[in-house]
Amino acid sequence: WQTALSVRHVGPRRDGNATDADDPPLARLRAYQVVDAVLRYRLDDIELAFGVSNLFDERYSTIAYSQTY
C-alpha cells in the first residue's frame, strides 16, 4: 500500500490586467488551501489507485472576471 497527501496554498492576490492609472481597481481574490489524497496498491504488474481531489470541498476562485478585446 502507498498513500500520498498533497496540500496547495495560494495566497491572496489581485485579478485583472489593469495597466493604466485610470483603470478600475483590480478584483481581490482570497487565499485558499486545497488538499488532495491518493491510495495506491500494486499487485504484480497492476497498480490500483483511488484518489480524491479537493478532499475538504474547499470553494475557491482562480479568476474574478474575464475581459475580451
Side-chain angles (χ1 to χ4, degrees), residues 16-44:
N17 56 0
T19 57
D20 192 308
D22 295 331
D23 289 339
L26 299 176
R28 184 173 184 80
L29 299 175
R30 67 180 180 88
Y32 64 90
Q33 299 78 35
V34 177
V35 178
D36 301 328
V38 66
L39 176 65
R40 291 185 183 96
Y41 180 74
R42 181 174 283 287
L43 180 63
D44 297 326

Side-chain angles (χ1 to χ4, degrees), residues 5-11 31-37 52-55 58 60 62:
L5 188 69
S6 68
V7 180
R8 288 187 312 276
H9 171 78
V10 177
Y32 64 90
Q33 299 78 35
V34 177
V35 178
D36 301 328
V52 178
S53 298
N54 198 2
L55 187 63
E58 176 73 14
Y60 61 92
T62 59

Side-chain angles (χ1 to χ4, degrees), residues 2 6 11 18 20-22 28 35 39 48 50 57 61 63 67:
Q2 182 182 23
S6 68
D20 192 308
D22 295 331
R28 184 173 184 80
V35 178
L39 176 65
L48 302 173
F50 173 76
D57 198 25
S61 178
I63 188 168
Q67 183 176 10

